[in-house]
Amino acid sequence: MLDEMLIYEILSVVEEIPEGQVATYGQIAKLIGRDKNARLVGKVLSMSQFYGQYPCHRVVNHCGRLVPGWHEQSFLLCQEGVVLKSNHHVDLRKYQWNC
């Protein structure tokens, strides 16, 4: 069972990611003081629908790769002005949130 406070911390950071920008799982983990817990961030985000509406589509892996099998993610990012590279990755140099 995940700690409710931890879930709140992760989702609070995700809520702060500006429209048209992305953050990585590792970046979020670092922001909450858990540098080595990027996978934990991913686990929480996979269950985010149980906690409300959060812009989880703005979170990608350390290479900018989108979530495999979540086709809506690319659509939502494109609606916000994020242009994907030909390999369906986000250019982190251009779109990564500098918090």
Side-chain angles (χ1 to χ4, degrees), residues 48-65:
S48 67
Q49 73 273 13
F50 299 115
Y51 301 101
Q53 296 278 337
Y54 295 91
C56 297
H57 64 281
R58 296 180 187 149
V59 184
V60 296
N61 83 350
H62 69 282
C63 296
R65 188 184 81 208

Side-chain angles (χ1 to χ4, degrees), residues 12-95:
S12 292
V13 171
V14 170
E15 202 167 40
E16 295 297 317
I17 304 168
E19 187 174 311
Q21 295 183 6
V22 298
T24 66
Y25 299 105
Q27 181 180 358
I28 293 168
K30 186 177 277 194
L31 286 170
I32 65 166
R34 293 176 170 259
D35 294 14
K36 307 255 187 243
N37 291 122
R39 286 182 184 213
L40 179 65
V41 171
K43 181 176 177 77
V44 168
L45 295 185
S46 73
M47 301 181 304
S48 67
Q49 73 273 13
F50 299 115
Y51 301 101
Q53 296 278 337
Y54 295 91
C56 297
H57 64 281
R58 296 180 187 149
V59 184
V60 296
N61 83 350
H62 69 282
C63 296
R65 188 184 81 208
L66 304 183
V67 176
W70 186 23
H71 306 292
E72 188 179 37
Q73 185 180 21
S74 61
F75 173 76
L76 292 169
L77 288 172
C78 289
Q79 279 192 315
E80 294 182 0
V82 176
V83 178
L84 300 179
K85 295 188 211 178
S86 61
N87 60 358
H88 298 287
H89 283 58
V90 173
D91 183 348
L92 292 177
R93 286 177 281 159
K94 185 172 184 180
Y95 296 106

